[in-house]
Each structure stands twice: as C-alpha cells, then as structure tokens.
C-alpha cells in the first residue's frame, strides 16, 4: 500500500493502539482520535497513547465521535485517504446498565463518521463490527451469509445497526465500506474488561474467577497480531459493486453497492475451561473457580467462518492459543511488575 494518511478512531483502545503502531511503522501518516472515557482504565489508555506519541508520523486529537463539529474540522484539516473506525462503547454486559452510551457513541457517533466520510471523498471506510451480531444464530460456524436479525444484547444491536447504516451510505453515496466482525480479540495491552485480563488479574492476586454458564461456553479467541494483519491487508481491498446481486437473493455479506462484511476470527473455538487451564499453565498457578449461570446477553459459542477473508487476502491465523496467552501473561507480569 502506498504511503497514505489514515484516520484511526479509538486509537487509545486495544485494537486501535496496535493498528496505529503498525501503520506508522509501515510509513503511513496516522491521526488517532479517542475520547479517553473511563469505561476501561484511563491509565492503560494513556500508556498506549504515550507509546504512539513517540512515533513521528502519529498525531492525536482528543475528541468524541458525537462531537460532529470537531469531527468535521478534523476531516477538513487532514484530508484523509482512509478511515478506520474502531471507536465505540464496548461490552455486552455493560449495555444492560448504561444503554444511552451505546446509542450516543455507536449510533450517533458512527453516523457522524459516515457523514464526514461521504463529504470528504474518503477512498474506503473500514469499521469495527462484532461477532456478537450473530446473537441467536445456532448455525456453526458463523458465516457472513447467515442472518444476523436476532441480536441478544444492545451492544450487538448497535453493531448490526452500524452495518445497516454503512450499507445505506454505500448504496446512496457510493461510499466504499467494509465491516469487520471481530471475534474475541486478545493480547498484550488488552482490555481490562475481557475474560483473559480478568482471569489473569484474579489468579495473580489469589482471588476467585467467575466462570459463567458453568464453563460450558466456547469462544473463537483471536490474537491481536492476526487481527491487525487482516485489517491492514483489507485497507486497499476497496469493495466493488456486485451488480448481479440485484436479480437474485441478496447475500448479507456483499451488495450491489460497494459494501462488504468479513469475519475476522481464529476459526478454532476453544472451550472456556481449556482457556482457563491454558492461563493457569502460563502463570504456573491454579485458579479458584466460582461457577455461575450464563449472563444475559452472553452467547454460548462463537466460531468464525473466514473463507471469504482467506480467498481475498489469504488470511490464515497463525497464533496458537498457548502462544498468545503466554505473550499476554508475560506482558501483564511485566506491566504490573508482578
């Protein structure tokens, strides 16, 4: 990819931090925006940001997506080639407690990004969706060809809404958009609200861990380096209209508009108890387990069909769960000096 000017929203977040670093180190100019909210550790966000600010080709703006006036100014000033929208109110369980934050950030904020993209000749908008959109779907593995009309959390509904909004802009205004359905991303500098972080912290501190659905769950855990590799390769894979879709049953993952959806997952779900055992082995310490019922909004299993991604960019996840967890626990022990 030629050297480009790229906007990364949510740059102080987990995925945004790693993506911004890789893009800068590849010769691109990155403007990162983030509102540094308190949902996850602000200190961790600031530490990620400190690393990015050491890079000559990185510029940071503190702003919320809901601030449409400032968003428009940033777009006008920087004249971006590409936009990668990773900023969002994350978390399934938190959406039961604070639904308004999901409406404001994930819907209003994303609408502002779409408007700014269509008014500033953006070549390609890539945006974070989620495996959560599959909701009540029972067909495994999850394919972009499957219906995602039955979300089971407001977070999932907001991500499904993002996909619908993006398609509308692709259809009406010819804005090329690609939705990225991430599957349980993990790795160093990961989110403190995610299972790997919570389990590691509790085990290190000798506290019990909460094991929901009595451990009878599976997740398609995907290491951060595999996620970033796929996203970077997709930037220049600008969606092309597929005209014949107009005359047959539409495929949910593509369109007659310049619009695509991809799963980005490990394509290898892991049972929760095996996941916990792998963490215990990496730490050399057993967990005390508190078994609980499944929580509202939680899915029993996630499993990504990545055939479309493999065909387009030769995507093949390369990080075994044992290696990925070891890298995280090593980072955790060094970062917290434990």
């Amino acid at each position: 990819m030629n050297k480009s000017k790229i906007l990364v929203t949510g740059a102080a977040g987990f995925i945004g931090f790693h993506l911004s670093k890789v893009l800068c180190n590849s010769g691109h100019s990155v403007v990162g925006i983030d509102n540094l909210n308190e949902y996850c550790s602000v200190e961790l966000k600031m530490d990620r940001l400190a690393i990015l600010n050491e890079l000559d080709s990185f510029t940071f703006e503190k702003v919320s997506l809901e601030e449409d006036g400032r968003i428009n100014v940033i777009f006008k000033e920087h004249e971006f080639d590409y936009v990668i929208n990773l900023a969002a109110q994350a978390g399934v369980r938190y959406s039961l407690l604070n639904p308004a934050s999901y409406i404001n950030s994930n819907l209003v904020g994303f609408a502002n990004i779409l408007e700014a993209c269509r008014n500033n000749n953006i070549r390609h908008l890539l945006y974070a969706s989620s495996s959560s959109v599959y909701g009540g779907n029972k067909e495994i593995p999850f394919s972009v060809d499957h219906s995602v009309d039955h979300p089971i959390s407001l977070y999932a509904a907001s991500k499904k809404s993002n996909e619908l909004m993006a398609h509308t802009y692709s259809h009406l205004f010819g804005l090329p958009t690609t939705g990225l359905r991430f599957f349980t991303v993990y790795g160093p500098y990961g989110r403190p609200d995610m299972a790997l972080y919570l389990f590691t912290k509790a085990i290190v501190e000798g506290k019990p861990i909460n094991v929901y659905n009595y451990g009878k769950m599976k997740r398609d855990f995907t290491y951060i380096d595999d996620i970033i590799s796929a996203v970077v390769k997709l930037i220049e894979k600008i969606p092309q209209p597929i005209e014949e879709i107009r005359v047959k049953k539409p495929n949910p993952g593509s369109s007659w508009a310049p619009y695509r959806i991809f799963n980005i997952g490990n394509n290898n779900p892991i049972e929760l108890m095996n996941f916990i055992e792998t963490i215990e082995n990496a730490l050399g310490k057993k967990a005390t387990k508190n078994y609980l019922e499944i929580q509202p909004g939680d899915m029993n299993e996630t499993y990504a069909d990545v055939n479309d991604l493999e065909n387009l960019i030769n995507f093949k996840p390369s990080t075994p769960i044992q290696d990925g967890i070891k890298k995280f626990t090593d980072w955790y022990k060094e970062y917290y000096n434990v």
Side-chain angles (χ1 to χ4, degrees):
M1 187 170 66
N2 295 329
K3 292 182 180 180
S4 303
K5 195 156 195 180
I6 303 173
L7 173 66
V8 177
T9 75
F14 174 34
I15 300 175
F17 159 68
H18 284 279
L19 178 62
S20 297
K21 187 168 59 171
V22 167
L23 290 174
C24 287
N25 289 334
S26 300
H28 303 291
S29 176
V30 174
V31 175
I33 67 175
D34 202 294
N35 65 3
L36 303 176
N37 67 41
E38 296 182 355
Y39 171 70
C40 286
S41 167
V42 175
E43 181 180 1
L44 182 57
K45 291 177 182 178
M46 294 301 296
D47 287 343
R48 296 184 188 122
L49 198 54
I51 295 171
L52 294 177
N53 281 330
E54 293 178 355
L55 303 173
D56 292 338
S57 55
F58 180 81
T59 304
F60 179 70
E61 300 269 4
K62 183 181 178 182
V63 61
S64 293
L65 299 190
E66 300 95 299
E67 299 176 66
D68 59 328
R70 287 195 61 200
I71 292 294
N72 290 333
V73 168
I74 290 170
F75 269 76
K76 293 293 184 185
E77 285 182 350
H78 293 283
E79 298 182 342
F80 301 113
D81 298 305
Y82 303 100
V83 173
I84 306 172
N85 185 65
L86 302 175
Q89 177 57 64
V92 169
R93 293 168 191 161
Y94 187 63
S95 66
L96 278 68
L97 304 175
N98 192 2
S101 65
Y102 292 79
I103 302 301
N104 292 334
S105 179
N106 299 7
L107 299 185
V108 176
F110 188 60
N112 290 338
I113 290 294
L114 286 168
E115 273 292 284
C117 285
R118 81 151 172 131
N119 289 325
N120 289 277
N121 300 313
I122 300 302
R123 295 179 191 172
H124 189 191
L125 165 65
L126 300 93
Y127 61 94
S129 186
S130 169
S131 60
S132 297
V133 300
Y134 288 102
N137 179 43
K138 300 297 184 183
E139 189 173 353
I140 297 295
F142 295 156
S143 166
V144 295
D145 296 340
H146 295 165
S147 167
V148 290
D149 291 335
H150 300 89
I152 59 174
S153 69
L154 182 61
Y155 170 68
S158 73
K159 289 299 185 179
K160 158 79 171 179
S161 299
N162 287 171
E163 296 177 0
L164 296 174
M165 294 162 72
H167 185 271
T168 303
Y169 272 70
S170 295
H171 166 68
L172 291 175
F173 308 115
L175 173 65
T177 65
T178 296
L180 312 169
R181 291 178 179 168
F182 295 132
F183 280 68
T184 317
V185 190
Y186 75 100
Y189 285 93
R191 278 171 36 199
D193 64 324
M194 298 293 283
L196 176 55
Y197 197 113
L198 293 170
F199 290 164
T200 299
K201 183 176 187 295
I203 294 170
V204 166
E205 296 176 357
K207 298 178 180 178
I209 63 173
N210 290 330
V211 182
Y212 292 107
N213 201 29
Y214 306 100
K216 299 174 183 177
M217 301 167 76
K218 289 184 178 181
R219 289 291 180 269
D220 202 354
F221 296 100
T222 313
Y223 190 66
I224 184 64
D225 289 358
D226 294 326
I227 291 283
I228 300 305
S229 175
V231 174
V232 170
K233 289 180 181 179
L234 284 170
I235 293 174
E236 279 202 322
K237 298 295 184 181
I238 298 175
Q240 301 298 316
I242 304 175
E243 188 61 33
E244 61 265 25
I245 285 182
R246 285 187 181 275
V247 296
K248 65 180 182 179
K249 183 179 179 181
N251 181 326
S254 56
S255 176
W256 61 84
Y259 166 93
R260 289 299 300 270
I261 296 288
F262 293 101
N263 291 331
I264 307 184
N266 200 44
N267 190 231
N268 183 27
I270 302 296
E271 292 182 356
L272 184 57
M273 297 310 296
N274 289 345
F275 182 68
I276 294 170
E277 183 180 356
T278 305
I279 301 171
E280 292 173 328
N281 291 339
L283 293 172
K285 190 175 182 181
K286 288 291 184 181
T288 302
K289 303 172 185 70
N290 182 25
Y291 293 97
L292 299 168
E293 295 181 355
I294 194 168
Q295 297 295 287
D298 278 2
M299 300 166 68
N300 284 314
E301 181 175 0
T302 63
Y303 183 177
D305 180 333
V306 295
N307 285 337
D308 287 352
L309 206 58
E310 183 174 349
N311 291 336
L312 183 65
I313 61 170
N314 196 30
F315 173 74
K316 293 181 180 178
S318 62
T319 310
I321 192 72
Q322 293 84 359
D323 294 351
I325 286 178
K326 183 66 163 55
K327 290 178 181 179
F328 173 83
T329 56
D330 286 349
W331 165 81
Y332 184 93
K333 288 186 288 187
E334 180 180 0
Y335 183 78
Y336 289 103
N337 193 27
V338 294

